[in-house]
Every structure is written in structure tokens, then in C-alpha cells.
Amino acid sequence: MGLTEQTNLQKLVELRNVTKAYGQMAARPHVVLEHINLSITQHEFVSIVGPSGCGKSTLLRIMMGLSKPEDGEVYYHDRKLDGVCEAMSMVFQTFALFPWLNVVENVELGLEGKPFGKEEKRRRSLEVIKVIGLEGYEEAYPRELSGGMKQRVGLARAMVSEPEILLMDEPFSALDPLTSTHLREEVLHLWADPTLPPEAVVMVTHNVEEAVYMSDRIVVLTSRPGTIAKEVMVNIPRPRDPRSAELYRLVDEITGMIV
Ligand code: ADP
Ligand code: MG
């Protein structure tokens, strides 16, 4: 993509000087994120990497409006975000499925609060189930599914609302290596399909190889309090070879930044 095209791309969400602390009432509040300035643009796959506990999950929650920063603002399409952003949805590391609901019912939860009738919710859910490779499992319960299938349900539930921005918090880290490799490919496949939402993906991971393999840009956070140490563009053409020397050079460079 040329530079001129890039400048025409829309800024979707922006964190301006965001600071987050827990334990405000305590003598020494615990500052988790400090002075975070970050924007996400159309057609970008952005990864956020950093050591455990540096505030990656907190940052995603703030971006979506699930958590409020003590200082700074979140802008969505240049308007200050107030409350949960309906145009975003989240995929969780632990899948977060309801065990008493079957696959299609879990997926339908992604449409809660949307102005669709029961039948329309079912129709949309069945459609996304097909796209995500869960066909035939509509009536299955989470306990009957493998980890990989459970995360497909998590992904389907996030995608059913056709989010403009898909947020993923360590989506592959609870899966075995073979399953995670497979699901990563599927996510990239969906991402490459211009007919499908989302417009941007923001993924938190502690796996640098995964970040380099999947992303257009990587945001490296420092340890507590989390600040942005560096942003790295990944200009390796897609589809990428996960074992290429070029990719590993970047993996080494980024791993060296994480302290
Ligand atoms: P990461 O996802 O990078 O591992 P988190 O965003 O989950 O980090 O957490 C960052 C820090 O904030 C950790 O020290 C964690 O213990 C603390 N923290 C997270 N959520 C809460 C909360 N609800 N109340 C108090 N402390 C929290
Ligand atoms: Mg986390």
C-alpha cells in the first residue's frame, strides 16, 4: 500500500495521554498505565506486547470503554468515548463461554442489546458459525468442545456483531501449539477477506513471534507502570513465512526491547 493511500485511512480509535491506577483510596495508588498515546487506524492489525502485568489487558479494556482511565481520554472516530463502545468486541484468553448455553446460544450473546429480533439473531449467528468453521456444532455445549473449538465460539461471538474493531486478549495462549497455529491461520484468513468485518484488529499477546507473524504494527509496553517503549512497523509482505529469517530478525529485535 502506498503512502498516499495510507494517509487517507481513517483513525478509528485513539487513546490520549491515558493513565490508569488501581487503589485510588490507598496511600500509594498502584499506577498500571501511564501517559499512553496510541491510535488505531483502518485496515491495521496491531499487536500489543509487553511483560506480564504491564497493563496490556487493562489497555484493551480502556480502549473498549469497559474500564475508565484516571486521566486522559479515549476518542472513537474523533468523539470522546463515553461508556462501552458498541462497535468493538473482545475475544478472551479463557474463552468466557457460558457452560449452560450451547454453541449457537453462546454466539447469540454477542448480539445482546442489538436491535434484532430473535429470528434475525439466530440467522446471523448461524451464518457466522459457518464462516468460523463450527458448522455441525450448533447444539453442542462447551464441555463437549476442545479448546480450539471453544475459542472458535469465542471468535464467532465477537464477530457476530460485525465489529468495526476486534479486540483479542491473548486469544491463542490457552491453546496447545498445534491448535494455536491452526487458529492463527484461520484468523489471518478472515482478516484477509475484505468482505468481512472488522476494519482493524488489536491483539494483546506475550508471544513476540505471533505478534510479528500476524501484525502490521507492534506496540511494545514497558513493565509497571506500562508506558509505550516503542512502536515497530512490520513491513513483511503477506502471506508471511513464519520461519523466515526476516521475521526472526524482528522477533529478536522486539524481544530485546521487552524488559
Ligand atoms: P497484563 O494483561 O499485561 O498481564 P493487566 O492489565 O491484567 O496486565 O494488569 C496490570 C496490573 O494491574 C497488574 O499488576 C494487576 O495486578 C493490576 N490489576 C488489574 N486489574 C485490577 C483490578 N481490577 N484491581 C486492582 N488491580 C488490578
Ligand atoms: Mg492480560
Side-chain angles (χ1 to χ4, degrees), residues 22 30 32 51-58 224:
Y22 288 112
H30 171 48
V32 175
S52 175
C54 73
K56 301 183 294 296
S57 298
T58 303
R224 289 191 242 165

Side-chain angles (χ1 to χ4, degrees), residues 100-254:
W100 59 86
L101 299 180
N102 67 22
V103 167
V104 67
E105 290 162 345
N106 267 288
V107 172
E108 280 171 347
L109 286 180
L111 290 173
E112 226 173 44
K114 302 280 180 204
F116 304 126
K118 226 174 140 177
E119 274 171 31
E120 180 63 10
K121 284 185 180 176
R122 181 58 53 112
R123 193 191 66 73
R124 286 176 182 248
S125 299
L126 291 174
E127 199 178 292
V128 79
I129 280 172
K130 229 189 273 176
V131 170
I132 296 200
L134 284 164
E135 214 172 3
Y137 291 88
E138 295 86 351
E139 309 284 320
Y141 284 85
R143 64 172 180 277
E144 302 171 292
L145 303 175
S146 66
M149 294 303 269
K150 283 182 197 162
Q151 193 56 302
R152 278 175 202 264
V153 180
L155 196 58
R157 183 185 52 200
M159 292 285 283
V160 72
S161 61
E162 305 186 341
E164 187 178 20
I165 309 173
L166 179 69
L167 307 177
M168 302 197 288
D169 192 353
E170 310 228 16
F172 311 111
S173 55
L175 306 175
D176 65 79
L178 217 61
T179 305
S180 57
T181 302
H182 200 72
L183 205 53
R184 257 181 228 121
E185 291 304 324
E186 299 262 333
V187 168
L188 287 178
H189 190 74
L190 295 172
W191 174 238
D193 185 339
T195 66
L196 291 174
E199 293 277 301
V201 177
V202 185
M203 176 174 80
V204 158
T205 178
H206 59 248
N207 182 333
V208 178
E209 284 174 39
E210 173 179 292
V212 175
Y213 179 54
M214 299 185 79
S215 324
D216 302 308
R217 178 158 59 103
I218 298 173
V219 178
V220 184
L221 296 186
T222 62
S223 59
R224 289 191 242 165
T227 58
I228 294 180
K230 194 148 179 141
E231 295 193 32
V232 180
M233 299 302 295
V234 185
N235 292 314
I236 306 171
R238 298 173 189 268
R240 295 171 180 168
D241 171 5
R243 272 170 290 277
S244 73
E246 198 184 9
L247 196 141
Y248 270 98
R249 198 186 46 72
L250 255 188
V251 170
D252 284 344
E253 192 184 319
I254 292 168

